[in-house]
Amino acid sequence: MDAIKKTLKDSAAIRWLVLVIISMFMFGTYWFQDFMSGLKGLMMSELGINSSQFGLIISSTTWANMVGMIMVGGIILDKWGIRVAGVVFGIVASLGASITAMATYGVFGDDPGTMMKFMMAGRMLFGIGLESICVIVTRTTVKWFKGYELALAMAINVAFGRFGTAFGTAFSVEIGGGHVAPAVAFAASLIGFGFILFLAYLIFDIRLDKQVNANKKEGGEPEEDFKFSDLVKLATNKGFIYITLLCVAFYSAVFPFIQYAPDLLVNKFGFTYQLPDLSSMTLFEKIGAIFHNGPKVTGLIPLGTILFTPIFGSIVDKKGKAASLMILGAFLLIFAHVSLSLFNSVTLGYLGLVSLGVAFALVPAAMWPSVAKIVAENRLGTAYSSMFTIQNWGLGLFFWGIGALLDFVNRADLAAIKAGEKMYDYTIPILTLVICGVISIFLAFMLLRADKQNKYGLELPSGVEAK
Ligand SMILES: C[C@H](N)C(=O)N[C@@H](CCCCN)C(=O)O
């Protein structure tokens, strides 16, 4: 048998370069997913929409995915590979984002109803692209990093997405110059930029495939493909069921919360949407103004996870304890939402946000590598697609539900709120998220129990098999 020749992925420099290139796609899509949170106040005043309609716009991202579009993405990825799937879903995401941007400029009509309809259609299309791109980028990361620094690479990949969320949330008001449409156009152009970089990545993908195929002919390991029919096997895997339900419960209390967090901080704690003129302020006053700005403070949550997700990822790699860390993350989530809903202390509010940020780093760092211990590698693509699909059911409900509940519990004061005479009371909508935290703890304990029974090795370091 001939010796296996080195391939592009054996070069650390090329591997990491590839990771940066494909992660820019995540940066753009996460930005577009989350940037509207910083614009909620502006969207309400400029487009004339209420909280429930804002909820519908952000929720529309999940609608097509709720009925299985991510699974379609998984099938296309399986059948035609990274290149075809990446191009198809890159076009879908770019098209969706462009339609959303054009709608905000009034291209399809400038009455609020028409604008909203086309914004929702655009975001629905974008949402199909977003989730499939996340699966495609994850799959590409595995392709290049399997056998190398996979957990760290996945954490860095998510970190790029968090950068997108943080910057999009924190700076969209300024980027739009106080208007919605330019901020949406800028966010859409980031997806186009990420897509162009992904097209450049394809050169590396083609070269690597050629080298791997040549090695296969010379006796290298053949790759096993996963099949859609493996779905049935997943549906009967207890560990997979618990981790999928945990994924829905946990992310439903985090992603939708982030969309409303700036508005919560403005309405509950008197924070600002727009920064005052900082030029004549002392350094302390500037810091004070930034820490009193809803979008900027919310942006700090994903920004903090950029540092902590890789740290927690390497703890999981070295020490294990993934299920226990998910339990801890669920406790932190409850603390966060209780302190942000039931109390009126700004200090406790900050502690709640820090606690949510730690949970947002801890649970993903422990959850995503754990899936690879519960599910056979040839079913991982199907596993991630199914998890994202079910996750979208929860996200769709809560993206819209928080806004609808907010309007409902404040129904007597809506006119006064619109006139700027009263503020939204967020207590009940945020308390609802505490229920998600309680369900998350229960599921994390069930996962720990299933781990003991089935010996997945979730509590063990990476590479150590359970006996
Ligand atoms: C957006 C997507 N549905 C999601 O859940 N993303 C996760 C990361 C998934 C990475 C899998 N390797 C997130 O925490 O952002």
Side-chain angles (χ1 to χ4, degrees), residues 101-112:
M102 285 192 283
T104 55
Y105 275 105
V107 171
F108 307 107
D110 52 13
D111 61 296

Side-chain angles (χ1 to χ4, degrees), residues 263-282:
D263 200 53
L264 160 84
L265 296 175
V266 169
N267 281 270
K268 187 176 172 105
F269 298 116
F271 282 33
T272 58
Y273 256 119
Q274 247 158 325
L275 276 181
D277 179 15
L278 301 179
S279 58
S280 57
M281 290 185 183
T282 64

Side-chain angles (χ1 to χ4, degrees), residues 26 30 33 70 130-131 134-135 137-139 141-142 154-155 157-158 161-162 165 247 250-251 255 360 363-365 367-369 384 387-389 391-392 395:
M26 293 276 280
Y30 272 56
Q33 159 78 356
I70 310 173
L130 159 82
E131 293 291 352
C134 194
V135 177
V137 170
T138 302
R139 193 82 197 279
T141 308
V142 174
M154 276 196 179
N157 180 235
V158 169
R162 299 283 186 261
T165 299
C247 170
F250 177 80
Y251 278 104
F255 282 147
F360 193 27
V363 174
M367 177 181 286
W368 299 111
Y384 284 128
M387 280 179 85
F388 285 180
T389 300
Q391 179 201 49
N392 269 253
L395 296 183

Side-chain angles (χ1 to χ4, degrees), residues 166-369:
F167 291 162
T169 303
F171 298 115
S172 285
V173 174
E174 286 79 10
I175 287 170
H179 294 285
V180 175
V184 184
F186 181 83
S189 65
L190 286 179
I191 297 181
F193 178 63
F195 184 38
I196 291 169
L197 285 183
F198 184 81
L199 293 176
Y201 155 75
L202 297 185
I203 299 168
F204 293 91
D205 197 82
I206 293 168
R207 291 269 319 261
L208 178 64
D209 278 359
K210 273 192 187 146
Q211 293 173 337
V212 170
N213 285 336
N215 273 343
K216 269 186 202 161
K217 279 184 204 133
E218 291 173 20
E221 283 287 305
E223 264 188 41
E224 243 187 303
D225 279 338
F226 67 75
K227 288 181 235 76
F228 187 64
S229 58
D230 288 335
L231 208 55
V232 181
K233 288 185 189 137
L234 284 178
T236 52
N237 180 334
K238 254 191 192 178
F240 181 71
I241 293 169
Y242 292 139
I243 203 162
T244 301
L245 294 177
L246 175 59
C247 170
V248 189
F250 177 80
Y251 278 104
S252 294
V254 178
F255 282 147
F257 171 79
I258 290 178
Q259 299 280 354
Y260 289 90
D263 200 53
L264 160 84
L265 296 175
V266 169
N267 281 270
K268 187 176 172 105
F269 298 116
F271 282 33
T272 58
Y273 256 119
Q274 247 158 325
L275 276 181
D277 179 15
L278 301 179
S279 58
S280 57
M281 290 185 183
T282 64
L283 181 65
F284 278 116
E285 285 169 340
K286 280 182 187 151
I287 294 172
I290 289 169
F291 276 89
H292 211 68
N293 178 267
K296 303 281 175 295
V297 171
T298 304
L300 292 177
I301 306 172
L303 211 55
T305 67
I306 292 167
L307 180 67
F308 287 110
T309 310
I311 293 176
F312 293 140
S314 85
I315 292 176
V316 171
D317 269 345
K318 291 191 181 109
K319 306 253 180 249
K321 302 278 171 221
S324 306
L325 291 175
M326 285 187 248
I327 293 172
L328 177 63
F331 269 114
L332 290 171
L333 186 68
I334 293 180
F335 171 79
H337 289 318
V338 167
S339 59
L340 284 159
S341 57
L342 288 183
F343 301 94
N344 280 315
S345 149
V346 177
T347 314
L348 204 55
Y350 279 126
L351 277 179
L353 291 176
V354 170
S355 164
L356 188 103
V358 176
F360 193 27
L362 202 52
V363 174
M367 177 181 286
W368 299 111

Side-chain angles (χ1 to χ4, degrees), residues 34-56:
D34 294 318
F35 78 105
M36 282 186 178
S37 69
L39 295 176
K40 181 172 180 270
L42 206 54
M43 285 170 72
M44 290 173 71
S45 57
E46 208 175 270
L47 308 181
I49 58 168
N50 59 28
S51 287
S52 173
Q53 288 165 326
F54 171 80
L56 276 179

